[in-house]
């Protein structure tokens, strides 16, 4: 909604609630000027820039800015043209067509509106004009770029740099060739600039860009630039804007230290501006942004009514004409209130396992020592404690397990107090009964019993309901090659104790053979720390992948870790514990050479986290569509999502789904380059772990020997040679299942939910040999998430094939 109207005669300033604040006379008039606005990109397509951590799409943000600027300019009688007014793929016009539109309109000035992205650690305005820094093709374009940069910079205080970034595109992009520059400025017959108003991959700014008023604020800055550029009467009203933050809490996402962004924005605050009693309701999109426009000059006061747990506050502010008054505030926690226990997980009305983890959530930051001393188990239990960074959430679990089939109570005494030494109002008590336990139980294994296609370098994992006796596990658990009947030598044995449960990991000294069956035998001499055994021998078997790995020339050996940025400074990382999330060199776990890259990551929430490691060298992969890029990845069985990120066509980021991390040990994870939409050179720049629903909140993954290879045109047929690709992945609309068939075949496709339910069936599709495509349009009823796609291929010759299972991420 356009909230203010500016005319060349008497003007009424309209408020957001529709009432009139004041009226005044001014002579602001852009009659006769023709301005062409190009909101960059369009259509939520691969050419768009998407920030999954916040949900921001550049095409959408650019359009909101452009449409509002059009209203502002037209209110001053300017003639405005736009390259698009909607956001579909059809609106994503080629750059040459956009220039043709502007030239045909005989515009006086051209503005291309964008936001920027680079490495996620920077945020500042960047203005580009055609030419060299000191030799603009249109001198007026450089003049406008300098004015516009200043107006954009003045409207905010969350920048990571104050450097004056106004550049000629020939200077800024020397690698594109002499006098090549930006395509959208290349064939214009009038002065034009491209504005990168801020950096959308800097997560604090990305959250702000989700707020329409923050986008409108940028439009006001553009308007001020046009007014100054054309030397007309400046606006005689102003704007108040700011960000509300918590005095104590820091964000889980990356922020530049020493900036205002190191404090957490507060959602949901009600802001009242007096006089006038204008009200702004802050959104829930983690930006804390508020905004009042069209204000007469003078003295005002802001009143802040924050969400529960914060004290009310106020702030005086002075409004001056044709400018923004920045009024950031840090809300104080109400330290006089008694803290409350908001909840406990699990539901203690049911029977509880002996190694149950309990989670307490408090209404405010607590004093950890007082809380831990105030918690008592009856019968007594030795407990472990883990707090979140804000000391509002406590997880605790018994070190050695509770006694089975026993009634317990948990008491939280009133000695538990907040960080400000205010005690809880009343003692809390919870009761439950533990389940019966009489033997050591095996809860899960990797590989699972009967699993096929297992990597030749697995890490065998066995999870128990209690910690195992280490000596008995080493002697009573063996991996046997069924073909030879011989046990394999175990290396790197690990014994895990977590939340009262236990696990045993090991690897093998030698590579396993392809297409062979192996059995893991657990003999009845195995015991847990309490002396319980499984009661009988137990075994599970698996079959390795049918062929050896195809790899190529190593382009990144992961031997020099300094070329990689830590996740905290790689950009796009969000929802991680920065101190515990690191990328280091491992000399112990490595596939080859002297080391491998070790990524330790911890997500702070249950979903939505992104952990990115940026390779500053950005190795080139060329542009051969038949090439394949892969990395040796030591999986952690976290069931999170592995992605590789690439730059295509210069700076367009392409995030490619690789696999769900449902394996442990070394496996070569590859993607064909032809799934990356690009006409030119492709650069690899990041490994990314995306937190999946149901995925673990932390783990450790190793990377080694990234390589590029080109498969021969003719290879001996095998199950790995029936290539199946999903495009795009993640899927946002209609997808393509692309199959390379060595023979004429009958193909059947089944779509499964993660819990194994058949959702859709496409049976008995007859396809000739070669590269063939099958369309899948997901039902609107399917929720976003990971789906299992089974492709059964039966050649006309009658030779049966195994079903090929892939995972497809739906993200509409």
């Amino acid at each position: 909604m356009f909230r203010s109207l500016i005319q060349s005669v008497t003007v009424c300033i309209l408020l957001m609630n529709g009432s009139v604040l004041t009226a005044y006379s001014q002579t602001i008039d852009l009659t006769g000027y023709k301005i062409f606005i190009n909101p960059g990109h369009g259509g939520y397509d691969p050419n768009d820039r998407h920030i999954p951590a916040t949900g921001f799409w550049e095409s959408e943000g650019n359009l909101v800015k452009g449409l509002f600027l059009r209203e502002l300019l037209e209110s001053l009688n300017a003639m405005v043209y736009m390259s698009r007014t909607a956001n579909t793929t059809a609106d994503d016009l080629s750059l040459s067509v956009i220039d043709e539109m502007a030239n045909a309109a005989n515009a006086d000035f051209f503005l291309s509106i964008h936001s920027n992205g680079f490495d996620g650690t920077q945020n500042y305005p960047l203005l580009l004009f055609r030419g060299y820094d000191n030799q603009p093709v249109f001198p007026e374009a450089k003049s406008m770029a300098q004015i516009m940069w200043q107006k954009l910079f003045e409207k905010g205080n969350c920048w990571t740099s104050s450097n004056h970034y106004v550049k000629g595109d020939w200077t800024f992009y020397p690698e594109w060739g002499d006098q090549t520059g930006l395509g959208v400025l290349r064939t214009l017959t009038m002065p034009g600039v491209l504005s990168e108003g801020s950096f959308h991959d800097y997560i604090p700014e990305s959250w702000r860009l989700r707020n329409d008023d923050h986008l409108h604020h940028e439009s006001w800055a553009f308007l001020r630039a046009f007014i100054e550029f054309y030397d007309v009467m400046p606006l005689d009203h102003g704007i108040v804007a700011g960000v509300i933050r918590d005095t104590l809490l820091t964000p889980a996402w990356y922020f530049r230290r020493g900036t205002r962004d190191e404090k957490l924005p507060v959602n949901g605050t009600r802001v009242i501006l007096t006089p006038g009693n204008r009200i702004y309701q802050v959104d829930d999109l983690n930006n804390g942004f508020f905004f009042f426009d069209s204000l007469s000059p003078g003295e005002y006061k802001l009143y802040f009514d924050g969400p529960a747990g914060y004290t009310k506050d106020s702030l005086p502010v002075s409004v001056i004409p044709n400018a923004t008054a920045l009024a950031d505030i840090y809300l104080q926690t109400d330290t006089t209130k008694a803290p409350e226990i908001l909840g406990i997980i699990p539901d203690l009305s049911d029977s509880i396992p002996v190694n149950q983890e309990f989670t307490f959530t408090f209404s405010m930051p607590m004093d950890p020592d007082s809380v831990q001393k105030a918690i008592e188990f009856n019968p007594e239990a030795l407990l472990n404690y883990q707090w979140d960074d804000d000391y509002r959430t406590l997880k605790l679990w018994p070190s050695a397990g509770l006694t089975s089939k026993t009634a317990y109570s948990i008491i939280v005494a009133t000695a538990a107090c907040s960080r400000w030494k205010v005690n809880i109002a009343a003692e809390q008590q919870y009761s439950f009964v533990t389940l019966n336990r009489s033997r050591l139980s095996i809860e899960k294994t990797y590989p699972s019993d009967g699993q096929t296609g297992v990597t030749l370098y697995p890490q065998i994992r066995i999870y128990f309901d209690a910690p195992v006796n280490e000596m008995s596990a080493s002697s009573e658990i063996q991996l046997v090659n069924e073909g030879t009947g011989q046990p394999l030598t175990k290396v790197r044995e690990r014994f895990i104790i977590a939340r009262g449960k236990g696990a045993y990991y090991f690897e093998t000294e030698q590579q396993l053979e392809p297409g062979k069956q192996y059995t893991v035998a657990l003999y009845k001499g195995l015991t847990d720390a309490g002396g319980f055994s499984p009661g009988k021998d137990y075994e599970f078997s698996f079959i390795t992948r049918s062929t050896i790995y195809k790899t190529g020339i190593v382009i990144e050996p992961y031997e020099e870790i300094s070329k990689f940025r830590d996740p905290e400074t790689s950009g796009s990382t969000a929802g991680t514990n920065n101190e515990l999330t690191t990328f280091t060199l491992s000399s112990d776990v490595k596939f080859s050479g002297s080391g491998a890259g070790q990524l330790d990551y911890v997500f702070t929430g249950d979903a939505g986290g992104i952990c990115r490691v940026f390779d500053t060298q950005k190795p080139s992969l060329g542009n051969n569509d038949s090439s394949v890029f892969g990395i040796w990845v030591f999986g952690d069985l976290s069931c999170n999502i592995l992605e590789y990120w690439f730059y295509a066509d210069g700076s367009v980021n392409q995030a490619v789904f690789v696999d769900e991390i449902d394996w442990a040990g070394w496996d070569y994870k590859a993607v064909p380059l032809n799934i990356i939409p690009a006409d030119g050179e492709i650069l690899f720049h990041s490994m990314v772990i995306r937190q999946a629903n149901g995925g673990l909140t932390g783990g450790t993954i190793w990377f080694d020997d990234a390589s590029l290879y080109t498969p021969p045109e003719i290879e001996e047929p095998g199950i790995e040679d029936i290539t199946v690709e999903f495009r795009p992945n993640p899927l946002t609309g209609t997808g393509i299942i692309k199959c390379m068939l060595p023979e004429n075949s009958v193909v059947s496709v089944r779509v499964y939910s993660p819990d194994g339910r058949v959702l859709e069936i496409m049976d008995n599709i007859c396809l000739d040999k070669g590269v063939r495509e099958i369309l899948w349009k997901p039902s609107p009823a399917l929720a976003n998430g990971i789906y299992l796609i089974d492709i059964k291929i039966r050649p006309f010759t009658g030779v049966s094939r195994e079903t090929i299972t892939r995972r497809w991420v739906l993200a509409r």
Side-chain angles (χ1 to χ4, degrees):
M1 181 179 71
F2 180 38
R3 293 187 305 280
S4 60
L5 185 64
I6 313 168
Q7 297 288 358
S8 58
V9 291
T10 300
V11 179
C12 292
I13 301 302
L14 304 181
L15 307 183
M16 287 192 291
N17 61 9
S19 61
V20 178
L21 176 64
T22 187
Y24 54 89
S25 296
Q26 60 181 26
T27 54
I28 308 173
D29 194 359
L30 291 174
T31 298
Y33 291 109
K34 293 184 286 186
I35 298 169
F36 193 97
I37 299 173
N38 163 230
H41 306 287
Y44 308 103
D45 54 29
N47 188 41
D48 201 350
R49 272 80 164 178
H50 181 218
I51 305 300
T54 63
F56 173 76
W57 290 85
E58 188 189 348
S59 64
E60 187 177 286
N62 297 340
L63 183 60
V64 171
K65 298 174 196 174
L67 290 173
F68 193 68
L69 177 59
R70 179 179 67 177
E71 294 188 47
L72 293 173
L73 290 168
E74 287 180 344
S75 72
L76 297 182
N77 301 317
M79 180 70 72
V80 181
Y81 305 87
M82 294 188 70
S83 60
R84 65 181 177 98
T85 57
N87 199 25
T88 67
T89 298
D91 300 304
D92 193 11
L93 305 176
S94 70
L95 303 182
S96 60
V97 168
I98 294 170
D99 281 5
E100 290 172 5
M101 294 170 64
N103 293 338
N106 195 26
D108 295 302
F109 204 89
F110 177 95
L111 172 62
S112 187
I113 299 175
H114 292 255
S115 55
N116 207 352
F118 182 59
D119 63 4
T121 68
Q122 305 174 58
N123 188 40
Y124 51 79
L126 167 67
L127 272 294
L128 298 169
F129 57 87
R130 183 154 180 79
Y132 295 113
D133 284 357
N134 296 316
Q135 291 180 281
V137 173
F138 294 97
E140 302 96 325
K142 180 177 180 179
S143 297
M144 171 59 110
Q146 292 172 324
I147 294 170
M148 197 166 283
W149 184 92
Q150 191 62 40
K151 301 304 180 187
L152 290 171
F153 187 82
E154 290 170 354
K155 76 171 185 66
N157 56 13
C158 300
W159 310 117
T160 61
S161 172
S162 59
N163 291 337
H164 198 84
Y165 286 102
V166 176
K167 305 289 292 183
D169 62 347
W170 296 350
T171 302
F172 197 71
Y173 298 108
E175 68 275 15
W176 291 4
D178 187 44
Q179 300 188 2
T180 301
L182 293 164
V184 78
L185 302 178
R186 196 169 297 159
T187 58
L188 293 176
T189 58
M190 79 290 299
V193 298
L194 183 144
S195 168
E196 304 276 15
S198 60
F199 280 70
H200 55 239
D201 64 346
Y202 178 65
I203 297 300
E205 180 69 9
S206 190
W207 281 120
R208 288 188 284 270
L209 289 168
R210 290 292 313 278
N211 183 297
D212 279 358
D213 287 317
H214 182 74
L215 300 170
H216 291 167
H217 199 191
E218 189 166 319
S219 303
W220 280 105
F222 290 141
L223 178 69
R224 293 171 187 160
F226 279 110
I227 287 173
E228 182 172 327
F229 180 71
Y230 287 121
D231 195 26
V232 298
M233 181 74 71
L235 302 173
D236 63 354
H237 55 85
I239 289 171
V240 170
V243 175
I244 305 165
R245 296 182 174 90
D246 190 294
T247 54
L248 300 173
L249 304 181
T250 57
W253 51 81
Y254 173 79
F255 53 86
R256 179 67 71 86
R257 297 192 182 277
T259 67
R260 295 170 184 263
D261 289 324
E262 66 182 357
K263 292 300 181 183
L264 183 72
V266 177
N267 291 330
T269 300
R270 187 168 177 259
V271 186
I272 304 170
L273 178 76
T274 61
N277 288 321
R278 290 176 61 174
I279 298 173
Y280 192 95
Q281 183 63 45
V282 175
D283 65 30
D284 292 321
L285 293 173
N286 301 321
N287 53 67
F289 183 76
F290 66 92
F291 180 78
F292 297 97
D293 64 5
S294 307
L295 297 172
S296 295
E299 300 303 314
Y300 293 82
K301 196 164 189 178
L302 294 163
Y303 293 89
F304 300 90
D305 186 2
Y310 291 97
T311 57
K312 295 183 179 181
D313 208 341
S314 63
L315 190 70
V317 60
S318 299
V319 174
I320 60 175
N322 200 41
T324 294
L326 297 173
D328 286 9
I329 192 168
Y330 296 86
L331 290 187
Q332 302 283 337
T333 299
D334 185 354
T335 59
T336 64
K337 293 183 63 175
E340 300 176 16
I341 300 175
L342 300 179
I344 181 173
I345 299 173
D347 180 357
L348 296 182
S349 62
D350 294 329
S351 296
I352 300 300
V354 297
N355 42 33
Q356 177 66 53
E357 176 183 272
F358 302 89
T359 302
F360 289 86
T361 303
F362 296 90
S363 61
M364 62 179 61
M366 303 296 290
D367 173 65
D369 185 59
S370 72
V371 175
Q372 290 169 204
K373 289 179 179 177
I375 294 177
E376 176 186 342
F377 271 59
N378 188 16
E380 188 177 359
L382 183 63
L383 302 173
N384 292 319
Y385 304 91
Q386 179 181 316
W387 289 89
D388 70 344
D389 290 343
D390 301 325
Y391 293 99
R392 296 189 183 193
T393 302
L394 168 65
K395 293 183 178 181
L396 59 89
W397 62 94
S399 298
L402 302 174
T403 305
S404 67
K405 208 173 181 179
T406 302
Y408 276 85
S409 63
I410 305 176
I411 297 172
V412 184
T414 56
C417 64
S418 71
R419 181 181 297 179
W420 301 276
K421 307 304 180 184
V422 179
N423 298 86
I424 62 173
E427 179 179 286
Q428 303 295 315
Q429 183 166 334
Y430 310 89
S431 299
F432 62 92
V433 177
T434 54
L435 294 169
N436 187 30
R437 180 178 184 272
S438 60
R439 63 184 178 86
L440 174 63
S441 296
I442 297 154
E443 296 189 332
K444 185 176 69 171
T445 68
Y446 175 81
S448 58
D449 190 26
Q451 184 170 341
T452 60
V454 174
T455 173
L456 305 183
Y457 304 92
Q459 181 186 62
I460 308 299
R461 294 189 175 191
I462 309 167
Y463 296 86
F464 303 93
D465 69 340
V468 294
N469 178 282
E470 296 184 7
M471 186 176 296
S472 73
S474 292
S475 61
E476 298 293 315
I477 298 178
Q478 292 184 345
L479 175 64
V480 179
N481 184 331
E482 288 293 333
T484 65
Q486 296 298 312
L488 282 73
T489 302
K490 296 185 291 185
V491 296
R492 278 204 291 271
E493 294 177 273
R494 294 184 60 200
F495 298 91
I496 311 297
I497 300 176
R499 308 299 194 257
K501 298 188 178 186
Y504 174 54
Y505 302 171
F506 67 88
E507 299 160 55
T508 60
E509 193 173 51
Q510 64 269 55
Q511 169 188 320
L512 303 189
E513 298 178 45
K516 300 295 184 182
Q517 180 170 317
Y518 290 83
T519 296
V520 180
L522 295 83
Y523 302 115
K524 59 185 178 183
L526 174 68
T527 60
D528 65 16
F532 289 107
S533 73
K536 61 180 180 179
D537 293 344
Y538 177 86
E539 64 181 33
F540 61 93
S541 299
F542 61 90
I543 299 175
T544 54
R545 57 178 280 139
S546 60
T547 64
I548 62 173
Y549 294 96
K550 303 179 183 71
T551 59
I553 300 172
V554 174
I555 61 173
E556 175 52 71
Y558 294 89
E559 302 284 337
E560 184 185 341
I561 213 67
S562 61
K563 68 174 65 174
F564 294 93
R565 287 205 173 127
D566 206 55
E568 180 182 354
T569 58
S570 285
S572 299
T573 292
T576 63
N577 182 312
N578 292 338
E579 291 185 3
L580 300 180
T581 301
T582 59
F583 191 67
T584 55
L585 184 66
S586 166
S587 58
D588 178 34
V589 180
K590 57 183 182 293
F591 186 77
S592 72
S594 61
Q598 176 177 321
L599 173 60
D600 294 287
Y601 64 97
V602 175
F603 292 121
T604 55
D606 294 329
I610 293 177
C611 180
R612 175 187 177 196
V613 176
F614 179 68
D615 185 344
T616 61
Q617 298 296 308
K618 301 186 291 294
S620 173
L621 309 183
N623 60 358
N624 185 347
D625 274 355
S626 62
S627 293
V628 176
F629 170 77
I631 306 175
W632 284 101
V633 182
F634 194 109
D636 60 0
L637 209 63
S638 65
C639 293
N640 290 311
I641 302 301
L642 172 66
E643 295 179 351
Y644 300 156
W645 286 12
F646 305 89
Y647 284 141
D649 298 329
S651 61
V652 178
N653 186 57
Q654 298 290 347
V656 175
F657 170 86
V658 179
D659 206 350
E660 180 184 1
I661 308 172
D662 59 357
W663 77 95
W666 288 109
D667 205 356
Y668 188 68
K669 294 298 176 180
V671 294
L673 295 194
N674 59 16
I675 70 173
I676 304 170
D679 296 324
E681 182 184 29
I682 297 172
L683 306 177
F684 169 68
H685 67 78
S686 296
M687 302 87 69
V688 175
I689 309 300
R690 185 182 301 278
Q691 188 178 17
N693 292 331
L696 297 183
T697 56
T700 301
I701 290 179
W702 289 265
F703 299 90
D704 208 351
D705 286 1
S707 64
L708 186 70
Y709 75 94
T710 303
E713 294 184 5
I714 300 176
E715 297 184 350
E716 181 182 352
I719 192 66
E720 279 80 22
D721 299 300
I722 299 178
T723 303
V724 178
E725 301 169 7
F726 294 161
R727 298 182 182 178
N729 198 354
L731 173 62
T732 57
T734 299
I736 298 173
I737 303 172
K738 184 177 179 182
C739 305
M740 195 291 290
L741 304 175
E743 306 174 52
N744 297 345
S745 303
V746 178
V747 179
S748 297
V749 180
R750 278 175 166 73
V751 180
Y752 292 86
S753 65
D755 60 5
R757 292 177 295 114
V758 178
L759 302 176
E760 296 187 20
I761 298 174
M762 293 177 278
D763 264 349
N764 300 323
I765 306 167
C766 295
L767 298 174
D768 293 336
K769 69 177 182 179
V771 178
R772 297 292 177 259
E773 294 181 349
I774 301 169
L775 297 181
W776 179 47
K777 186 170 185 177
S779 165
L782 293 185
N784 288 345
I786 300 173
Y787 292 88
L788 305 179
I789 316 295
D790 279 0
I791 316 290
K792 187 181 289 293
I793 300 172
R794 179 172 55 82
F796 288 176
T797 59
V799 179
S800 63
R801 296 278 189 186
E802 295 182 49
T803 297
I804 300 173
T805 302
R806 297 288 187 269
R807 290 166 175 80
W808 211 339
V809 178
L810 183 60
R812 286 179 292 208

